[in-house]
Amino acid sequence: MQLSEQEIQRREALQKLRDLGVEPYPAEGYEVTHYAEDILKNFETKPGDYEQVSLAGRIMSKRIMGKAGFTDLKDHTGRIQLYFNRDEICPDEDKTLYNEVYKKLTDIGDFIGVEGSVFVTRMGEISIAVKRFVFLSKSLRPLPVVKTDADGNIHDAFTDPEQRYRQRYVDLVVNSGVKETFLKRSRIINSMRNYFNAFQYVEVETPILQPIPGGAAARPFITHHNALDIPLYLRIANELYLKRLIVGGFDGVYEFAKDFRNEGMDRTHNPEFTVMEIYVAYKDYIWMMAFTEKMLEQVVKDVNNGDTVVQVGDKSIDFKAPFKRISMLDAIKEHTGHDITGMDEVELRNLCRTLGVETDETMGKAKLIDEIFGEKCEKNYIQPTFITDYPKEMSPLCKRHRSNPDLTERFELMINGKEVANAYTELNDPIDQRERFEEQLKLSEKGDDEAMFIDHDFLRALEYGMPPTSGMGIGIDRLTMLLTNKSSIQEVLFFPQMRPEKVATGPKPADFIALGIAEEWVTHVMKIYPSVEELQALKPTQVHQKLNGYRKKNKLEIAALQLADVESWWS
RNA sequence: GACUCGAUAGCUCAGCUGGUAGAGCAUAACACUUUUAAUGUUAGGGUCCUGGGUUCGAGCCCCAGUCGAGUCACCA
């Protein structure tokens, strides 16, 4: 491994610490009595509470000035300044702890624990006068140093998205605000969970590995189970399992589920993503609309200091319930001026041409309508809006509309021009469901690789009887993007999927050690012979002389090689 | 999948018709007892993403590739 200058220096510092009897990676825990945020917030009103404090965290910056030095410590609540005074740290003659250990052997990134008292510097900054400090963990790699000046300008920000996503741990340490996004994500999920639990609905877990990837139209990931010797799919949805639970007698079930879809990746798509799905018995989609808008209003209030208005880019979005409701056909009428009620496929195709919406031969009636909606209407719904009553062919798991057999009882919730939630009055007629699956099978035979499989066990469950049920799914990643004002899904996933990093293909010391070369020799051997192959292409005598010559020339403090040793590298 | 842009020191970035690489921060050394992006002086640090090509000479020009970002398409 090729170490940079700074990495070598830190390894040397590590050794010096040990030489001085300081353990850089102690085994025991460290007792923390206070946190940075608490001290900064409350010291001035109750200074008496902070005469003796103990904190632990990471060193973020260091400013030494002779016999005193300032260090910024970051714990999980924030940053606070530490004041190290030489004679305070080292009251006796021996000043090593200050001059060596503190001044030279602590680095940005190290974890330390400090004890001391809180005071205010002449510059007016609340700080900790350190009396004792210990190493908790030495950092061997330099962190990027991001500085903020008095006006709040950020200098030398760590901005390269590739590095930020691949090394999220670094991003979290040095970039303020990143952690807040993820804390908010957690609060969004907690708020939703609390809302459901208040209704006594039950949080459940259903299989991620599924023999039939059902519940949505998407290409799945496939894997193989060795003992059963069958293919298994990573779920693309959990809908069919949650409905089985409704069949089994649950009144309401929900799951925060990771789903997996083997499709393209971009700003709004990650191969694995989180969806919350909820199913409630004896309800329909009308009820579900009211349930959903109240839930979202509550979630937004919970994460937004009680406010229902969220700033997203240059738009203000108000989550105050009730949301606007409009049927898909009315939406199209509103934004295109055309009433498509009762139009057949030919008429729709002509309309698409008139409107400049691209079509192709394989598109059926439903797909054409969807295309018009997606092209002409979707982007207009900035404020939360329920789009209702979708064409039947688009929704094979959704119940036929009570007053129009060509439509289904479905809604999607559009916010900021994008779909955030999707819900149905669930289809519970097993005969109808079987027919819909069979239509999907025909699509599949035509080559649609996203058409749904027939799940016979699910049909069997429906045949035992499922109560009228409404279900709703909401994309947690996309909701989080909205509420944190992020335009990329990668900003709301800790570890977004990335292409694997290229591994250095160069030779590894281990390859040479495997030949029997002594460890002390390996780095030198590698300097002369970059690969095992190049070394072994030569004669042992030649290598033997060359290496011993190298040893002499560079005055290496290691024993000369014997020819027999060198010869053994070829065996 | 198509197009556009990017990859140079640990980090952020500069670089010239094509003539062996620069700055700030970080690092090391010295000075300095309350600093605020601390400061001052000095020093070290680079396979200029990879591989080919053109050229006397390539970080720069050409070709191919890798990775990333953006736009579009596809997908929900």
Side-chain angles (χ1 to χ4, degrees), chain A residues 33-52:
Chain A
T33 62
H34 291 77
Y35 297 106
E37 185 184 33
D38 163 46
I39 294 171
L40 295 175
K41 204 179 280 176
N42 302 317
F43 172 69
E44 292 194 306
T45 51
K46 297 177 84 180
D49 292 358
Y50 299 96
E51 279 163 12
Q52 182 71 35

Side-chain angles (χ1 to χ4, degrees), chain A residues 480-516:
Chain A
T480 305
M481 284 166 66
L482 265 178
L483 300 185
T484 57
N485 191 17
K486 299 285 184 237
S487 56
S488 153
I489 198 169
Q490 293 158 312
E491 293 290 348
V492 300
L493 298 171
F494 273 125
F495 304 104
Q497 194 55 246
M498 306 279 279
R499 270 209 170 71
E501 276 182 272
K502 237 193 317 187
V503 243
T505 48
K508 293 188 284 288
D511 299 337
F512 287 85
I513 290 168
L515 296 180

Side-chain angles (χ1 to χ4, degrees), chain A residues 391-549:
Chain A
K392 189 190 97 182
E393 295 85 344
M394 288 168 62
S395 318
L397 301 167
C398 185
K399 188 174 262 188
R400 226 174 272 262
H401 195 277
R402 59 195 76 180
S403 55
N404 182 341
D406 289 340
L407 301 177
T408 52
E409 299 213 341
R410 172 177 181 182
F411 73 76
E412 287 196 356
L413 175 61
M414 311 295 303
I415 306 176
N416 200 26
K418 296 184 194 79
E419 177 204 337
V420 170
N422 181 20
Y424 306 147
T425 300
E426 302 297 334
L427 178 55
N428 62 344
D429 174 343
I431 310 252
D432 192 356
Q433 182 67 77
R434 188 177 293 277
E435 284 167 6
R436 306 270 198 107
F437 273 141
E438 275 158 6
E439 282 167 25
Q440 290 290 311
L441 188 63
K442 283 186 201 125
L443 285 177
S444 172
E445 281 161 359
K446 270 200 236 161
D448 183 346
D449 57 359
E450 290 184 343
M452 291 184 191
F453 293 76
I454 298 184
D455 186 332
H456 293 285
D457 176 69
F458 173 66
L459 288 171
R460 179 168 61 188
L462 286 191
E463 283 164 5
Y464 281 105
M466 182 171 87
T469 299
S470 183
M472 186 268 291
I474 184 162
I476 297 297
D477 308 296
R478 295 197 184 168
L479 179 66
T480 305
M481 284 166 66
L482 265 178
L483 300 185
T484 57
N485 191 17
K486 299 285 184 237
S487 56
S488 153
I489 198 169
Q490 293 158 312
E491 293 290 348
V492 300
L493 298 171
F494 273 125
F495 304 104
Q497 194 55 246
M498 306 279 279
R499 270 209 170 71
E501 276 182 272
K502 237 193 317 187
V503 243
T505 48
K508 293 188 284 288
D511 299 337
F512 287 85
I513 290 168
L515 296 180
I517 300 177
E519 275 183 49
E520 56 204 4
W521 268 103
V522 166
T523 51
H524 307 299
V525 171
M526 285 176 71
K527 270 185 197 151
I528 300 171
Y529 307 106
S531 75
V532 169
E533 289 72 26
E534 284 171 69
L535 171 75
Q536 292 191 325
L538 302 168
K539 290 197 173 87
T541 46
Q542 194 184 350
V543 172
H544 175 236
Q545 284 180 16
K546 177 99 180 167
L547 285 173
N548 277 335

